[in-house]
Amino acid sequence: MLKARIAVLVSGGGTNLQALIDAQNSGIIKHGEISVVISNNADAFALTRAYNSGIPREVVPKAKFNSQQKFEKELIELIEKYNIDLIVLAGFMCILSKDFTSRFPKRIINVHPSLIPAFCGKGFYGLKVHEAALKYGVKVTGATVHFVNEIPDGGEIILQKPVNICRSDTPESLQQRVMRIAEWKILPKAVEMVSFDIVKGKSI
Ligand code: GAR
């Protein structure tokens, strides 16, 4: 069967990458295959997860490049080398320029740990998002999967899932619950939806 070739871009622990690998193995993702994992951080545990699943790995250390343009050029070369149809940002902590995102319209998706448009945009990433939600005092948060354009966390929303906040929550406990209840569920689902559309387009 024709499948969309997927690059997963990561920076850290890679639990969302793991959810994608598991979804591929269990058949939740049927129309896509993870063809490469790319990290900007050579120490990311996500790279070990890729290795354990026999997925090719690449490291593009942002710090090594003295410009955003050179960093993105290296990323683009890898996207082309692996013949990628869909780029998934799964805990990728680098902002991509318009130059990059406009090359791949509706072909880059991102998972964000809040209900966009709350607690998103520049400066809102990882634990900071949950700290902000608790500080504000919202009673419901969640996760969003969206297409990526030049506005950080500003692209079209694909899926969202709400998660209740408990009185005893810390940023860490909330982060874990948002991942377990929302992110690890909606990211694989969205990847399958977009992969299906890509394959449908490819086979016409
Ligand atoms: C996840 O919560 C993801 O939504 C968030 O970082 C975490 C990465 O965890 N991403 C962002 O905040 C991007 N704005 P993981 O490496 O275990 O998947």
Side-chain angles (χ1 to χ4, degrees), residues 2-78:
L2 205 55
K3 292 192 180 198
R5 291 178 60 78
I6 299 168
V8 184
L9 274 54
V10 297
S11 299
T15 64
N16 279 289
L17 167 66
Q18 192 63 53
L20 292 172
I21 294 170
D22 294 347
Q24 185 172 290
N25 292 339
S26 68
I28 292 171
I29 297 176
K30 291 190 280 288
H31 294 87
E33 67 181 344
I34 305 169
S35 304
V36 64
V37 169
I38 303 173
S39 177
N40 65 306
N41 166 18
D43 298 327
F45 185 67
L47 291 168
T48 305
R49 295 180 190 273
Y51 177 78
N52 290 341
S53 297
I55 300 167
R57 306 170 293 170
E58 300 279 357
V59 178
V60 184
K62 192 169 181 206
K64 202 186 94 186
F65 300 93
N66 47 15
S67 81
Q68 177 79 10
Q69 209 184 5
K70 285 183 188 153
F71 171 63
E72 291 182 353
K73 186 167 174 280
E74 186 86 5
L75 290 177
I76 291 165
E77 277 173 19
L78 288 173

Side-chain angles (χ1 to χ4, degrees), residues 9 68 72 75-76 87 89 92 94-110 146-155:
L9 274 54
Q68 177 79 10
E72 291 182 353
L75 290 177
I76 291 165
I87 300 167
L89 310 184
F92 186 60
C94 304
I95 288 184
L96 295 165
S97 74
K98 183 176 181 182
D99 214 40
F100 185 94
T101 58
S102 61
R103 278 173 189 261
F104 309 104
K106 294 257 188 127
R107 290 293 178 267
I108 313 174
I109 70 177
N110 178 50
H146 62 93
F147 286 114
V148 174
N149 63 12
E150 70 278 10
I151 303 159
D153 299 322

Side-chain angles (χ1 to χ4, degrees), residues 12-16 90-91 93 110-113 124-126 153 175 179 183:
T15 64
N16 279 289
M93 301 304 183
N110 178 50
V111 61
H112 182 77
F124 286 100
Y125 57 88
D153 299 322
Q175 180 180 50
M179 283 177 157
E183 294 186 50

